[in-house]
Amino acid sequence: MGIFLWIIVGLIAGFIAHRVFDSRGGMIGSLVLGLVGALVGGYLANILNLNVTGGFIDQLIIATCGAVLLLFLKRKVF
């Protein structure tokens, strides 16, 4: 995926994760959360041998799951 598409997926995933947990944060926070969530989600999907070579929707689901996991962990730790 190109960098522009990664940013779009990260932004959408961060927005969805913020809505799931009703978190506060701005556009930059959502983007960073989504991008890091995409990395975490992709890493975990790779460990679990899930097929993540799909299209935009597959990448969005993986990134959103990673972002939600990060928000969950953040709430438990902080």
Side-chain angles (χ1 to χ4, degrees), residues 7-22:
I7 292 171
I8 296 299
V9 168
L11 183 61
I12 295 170
F15 176 78
I16 293 170
H18 274 277
R19 292 295 173 208
V20 167
F21 276 97
D22 194 28

Side-chain angles (χ1 to χ4, degrees), residues 4 7-9 13 16 20-21 23-24 26 31 34 36 38 40-41 55 59 62 66 70 73 76 78:
F4 182 71
I7 292 171
I8 296 299
V9 168
I16 293 170
V20 167
F21 276 97
S23 295
R24 297 183 192 112
L31 179 61
V36 174
V40 169
Q59 296 295 327
I62 295 295
L70 286 178
L73 293 174
K76 290 297 179 186
F78 296 109

Side-chain angles (χ1 to χ4, degrees), residues 7-72:
I7 292 171
I8 296 299
V9 168
L11 183 61
I12 295 170
F15 176 78
I16 293 170
H18 274 277
R19 292 295 173 208
V20 167
F21 276 97
D22 194 28
S23 295
R24 297 183 192 112
M27 181 79 102
I28 300 297
S30 294
L31 179 61
V32 170
L33 175 73
L35 289 174
V36 174
L39 293 173
V40 169
Y43 179 73
L44 292 175
N46 191 23
I47 288 175
L48 297 172
N49 291 325
L50 297 175
N51 185 10
V52 293
T53 59
F56 179 78
I57 299 298
D58 294 340
Q59 296 295 327
L60 183 61
I61 291 170
I62 295 295
T64 302
C65 289
V68 167
L69 177 65
L70 286 178
L71 269 178
F72 175 77

